[in-house]
Structures are given as structure tokens and as C-alpha cells.
Amino acid sequence: VTEQDRIEAAHLVCDADLPFALLHPGASDPRREWPPEHFAAVGNAMADAGLRVAVSGLASERETVACVIAKMRAPVIDLCGKTSLGALLGLAARARIVISNDSGPLHAATAVGAPTVGIYWCGNLITGGPMTRARHRALISWRLDCAVCGTNCMTSWCDHAATFVGDVRPEEVIHAALDLLATTDASRVASMASP
């Protein structure tokens, strides 16, 4: 993360000292997209935990981001279409937690050391999941069959865009996020107390 990335991020999320959660509800493959109402429930829970909530996305994901924001009761910082890659890295590095579908922004957040909660289809977790659970939580959908045609997508392929991760419950993601926040808070306090 460069100083320019940090500057761009600071312009997008004012009050640099206030903690925030970064949600990224988009994905390049719609089968990896968790439902917007689930992201909204998690966003509200993060706000209830004392965090501001920012929602990012590409301009092409405007409809998904708008749906998440519309379903939230807590105030939201709408970052859809407003971030360069560098700004996204800067935001992830500053976020108290990043919650995302299995997507490029999730992997970028992991790479810059952000605490992350990722929603994965079981087939993708094997090839793209985090290596440790110290600062990362992976929530897994075990759905194998397409909800439209019933094709087992571990052994075959279909062209339907129905989500494979919708079975992951918001309560599971909220629990994982709150646990990760508590764990990373405890680690930060311990490192500040060490000589």
C-alpha cells in the first residue's frame, strides 16, 4: 500500500480515526454473489457494533450496491464506482474488517493484511481461500447442485447464474465478523502492551 493509496482512501472515508467495516457485495461471477439482503443484515450488525459501514463496488455493480444500501437502516458510505485499485487497497488496509464475496477485492484485502470475512462456494475455497484463520474467516456454502437445473457443478457445468452461496446465513457471517473483531482487538492491545 503506497502513501498515495492511503491519501486516496482518506479522501473517500473522512474522519480517519473512526473505525469502519468495508463491504464488497459484487463478484465477477454471479454464482459467487451472496444476496444483497444478507449483506445489509451484516452491515447493520457492524453498525450496531460501533463501526461505520462503507460499501464498495465497480460501477457495473451499481445495482447490487444500491440494493444493499437500500436494505440497510444504518448510514452507509457509498463507494461504488469511486475507487481506483490503489484507493481500494488503501481502504482495505484502514478497515477494521472487510466482508466480501470470494472476489478480487477480498483477495486484495487479505494481501494488505486486513481482517477479512469471505463468503465462498466450497469448490472455490479449495483454490482461493485464505491460508490461515488468524485474521481471516471463511464461510462456506456446500451447495453442489445448480438451483435452476440441478446440475452438479463439481463434476459438470451449466450456464445458469443462480447463486451458489446464498445458503450461508447472515447470522454465521455476523458471528464470524464479531469474533474476528474481538480477536484482532485483543491482538492489537497485546502488541501495544509488549515492550
Side-chain angles (χ1 to χ4, degrees):
V1 180
T2 68
E3 188 57 32
Q4 183 59 36
D5 298 339
R6 290 183 179 89
I7 291 168
E8 285 185 53
H11 287 301
L12 294 169
V13 181
C14 300
D15 301 322
D17 295 333
L18 296 177
F20 68 95
L22 180 62
L23 308 182
H24 188 85
S28 59
D29 184 343
R31 293 172 296 182
R32 294 183 193 179
E33 287 188 2
W34 202 42
E37 59 273 14
H38 291 3
F39 269 105
V42 171
N44 286 328
M46 295 301 98
D48 291 345
L51 300 176
R52 291 180 303 153
V53 177
V55 182
S56 64
L58 300 172
S60 61
E61 297 167 335
R62 166 59 54 203
E63 186 177 327
T64 300
V65 170
C67 193
V68 171
I69 292 171
K71 293 180 182 299
M72 286 187 62
R73 59 176 156 63
V76 177
I77 302 166
D78 181 355
L79 300 174
C80 188
K82 298 177 184 174
T83 60
S84 64
L85 177 58
L88 184 64
L89 294 173
L91 287 164
R94 284 190 49 219
R96 287 282 293 110
I97 193 163
V98 176
I99 302 166
S100 176
N101 295 311
D102 173 20
S103 63
L106 175 66
H107 302 300
T110 301
V112 300
T116 64
V117 175
I119 298 111
Y120 293 87
W121 177 57
C122 59
N124 295 113
L125 179 67
I126 295 165
T127 58
M131 298 295 285
T132 72
R133 299 297 180 260
R135 295 180 58 82
H136 313 290
R137 302 292 185 270
L139 282 292
I140 307 164
S141 171
W142 296 100
R143 174 181 287 278
L144 301 179
D145 300 332
C146 172
V148 176
C149 68
T151 297
N152 181 319
C153 288
M154 289 295 280
T155 59
S156 299
W157 176 263
C158 75
D159 290 327
H160 297 111
T163 183
F164 269 73
V165 295
D167 297 342
V168 175
R169 296 185 341 263
E171 298 78 20
E172 295 175 273
V173 175
I174 292 166
H175 175 76
L178 293 175
D179 175 64
L180 185 57
L181 285 168
T183 301
T184 54
D185 281 345
S187 295
R188 189 171 40 194
V189 168
S191 69
M192 291 156 85
S194 298

